[in-house]
Amino acid sequence: MNYDEKKFLGKLAQIETLVDLEDLRIEYLGRNGIINQLLKKIVEIPPDEKKGYGVEVNNLKNRINQLLDKKKNTLNNRMSAEFFDKTLPGKEYPKGSLHPISTTIEQIASIFQKLGFIRVSYPEIEWEHFAFETLNMPKGHPARDDFESFFVDEPEDKERGRMVLTPHTSSGQNREMLRLKKPPIRMINIAKCYRRNWDATHAPMFYQFEGLCVDKNINITHLKGTIEYFAKKFFGPDRQIRLRPHHFQFTEPSFETDISCNICKGTGFVNGLNKKMDKAKCRVCKSGWLELGGSGMVHPSVLKAGGIDPNEYTGWAFGFGPERCLMMKLGIDEIRDLYGGDIRFLEQF
Ligand code: PHE
């Protein structure tokens, strides 16, 4: 076969540009190129050698093709390494953002700070004394069981009892009273809390924000007004709140605090506002109201434990969950989504 491999390789080695490479491709693989000329010669080949000859030329064609492609890659790489266009826009890296719970906490804090509440935080690992005793739940009191606590395996302190992962932000009440020594107190305590719970709406670690207000002549209307202010600021101006009788050891009277459901506008029915429509129960709240959390007037014994004279001062407190507020605002029904760290979920906020 009239083909000189050395000659081809020599030419290939000398090529420096893509244009020259294309010329070489045409010279060998073009319509009138060397390979096609070799193929045309098949008529001159004796019949029993035709097949072998054909295969041989085809293999050659493939090999040349491969060598040309390889050279093309080499030239391309060399070019991009040498050529740097500084006018091209840079690569944009994905931007991070705050976790929706962090954003919610900041929103809540700023709503209360505008009302003159001071934001504080107290130990995440707390003594029983602050978590229970000073909150009118003496040793062995069954109300302690409501706060299914994680105790820390450490020696007990004579005065302050065992160590516990703060089961609620109410443990900051006594600490704040001791810190300020004297009312007025306007505290907003936002902190991590821990309880033995794990289902769609409860995580073993969660947040609470606790409001505490102690001064002369403080009464339930101040509690109600403050919660209503918060609800309208955080959830929207058309939301209502209501207080339902309840029991906590550390408040008297005590309330469960509800906010009107946004989906059914507080009616409890799917087509709430349109009375003529069918009366299917609202899927979200079933009753027109959603629970925000506990609240009440600070129990006299709690004031006393904080060195405050209950005959001179009165106060209120509430403890709500930022996650719950966020879920109620956005219609999220799985608390575990908030803590899952799945970027596809978190990116939506
Ligand atoms: N500490 C209570 C709880 O975690 C909530 C609460 C706070 C109730 C303040 C009344 C007053 O359930």
Side-chain angles (χ1 to χ4, degrees), residues 32 60 103 170 177 193 198 227 276 278 293:
N32 296 315
L60 182 61
T103 321
S170 300
M177 290 175 195
C193 299
W198 198 212
I227 296 176
K276 285 197 190 120
D278 65 337

Side-chain angles (χ1 to χ4, degrees), residues 124-325:
E124 222 169 298
I125 300 178
E126 188 51 286
W127 299 102
E128 276 182 294
H129 174 77
F130 294 104
F132 300 120
E133 246 104 86
T134 60
L135 291 168
N136 202 25
M137 289 181 276
K139 259 203 176 74
H141 197 285
R144 289 185 182 214
D145 297 345
D146 296 343
F147 306 91
E148 300 160 61
S149 316
F150 292 102
F151 286 94
V152 179
D153 208 0
E154 280 295 312
E156 201 172 322
D157 182 88
K158 258 207 205 98
E159 268 111 54
R160 295 170 295 181
R162 286 177 294 170
M163 277 183 172
V164 58
L165 301 187
T166 324
H168 56 169
T169 41
S170 300
S171 49
Q173 288 191 18
N174 186 257
R175 284 192 177 270
E176 184 70 349
M177 290 175 195
L178 299 183
R179 182 179 78 89
L180 292 176
K181 298 198 175 72
K182 206 169 143 14
I185 297 174
R186 279 168 183 74
M187 168 192 92
I188 183 81
N189 175 20
I190 311 183
K192 281 176 189 159
C193 299
Y194 301 84
R195 288 187 208 170
R196 297 166 182 274
N197 271 324
W198 198 212
D199 62 35
T201 54
H202 296 91
M205 189 216 82
F206 56 100
Y207 282 91
Q208 277 194 344
F209 58 108
E210 180 110 356
L212 174 70
C213 173
V214 184
D215 207 343
K216 286 187 173 146
N217 302 317
I218 293 290
N219 59 47
I220 295 177
T221 62
H222 302 125
L223 169 66
K224 213 177 161 193
T226 310
I227 296 176
E228 193 164 277
Y229 175 84
F230 163 72
K232 287 184 190 287
K233 281 272 174 220
F234 185 83
F235 292 97
D238 56 343
R239 306 298 278 271
Q240 311 286 323
I241 65 138
R242 76 171 181 191
L243 302 181
R244 249 180 319 122
H246 195 72
H247 174 78
F248 294 103
Q249 258 327 93
F250 35 94
T251 43
E252 179 56 39
S254 304
F255 310 104
E256 277 296 3
T257 322
D258 297 336
I259 180 167
S260 58
C261 172
N262 197 28
I263 306 297
C264 67
K265 307 287 176 221
T267 63
F269 296 102
V270 173
N271 295 300
L273 292 183
N274 190 343
K275 300 233 162 40
K276 285 197 190 120
M277 302 293 277
D278 65 337
K279 288 281 184 187
K281 285 251 158 98
C282 174
R283 210 167 39 83
V284 176
C285 66
K286 299 189 182 74
S287 66
W289 297 89
L290 295 158
E291 208 178 289
L292 267 176
S295 66
M297 297 305 291
V298 180
H299 196 286
S301 338
V302 175
L303 290 172
K304 264 191 224 156
I308 295 170
D309 180 358
N311 295 316
E312 202 181 337
Y313 294 102
T314 46
W316 55 250
F318 67 77
F320 302 157
E323 294 95 336
R324 208 177 145 68
C325 288

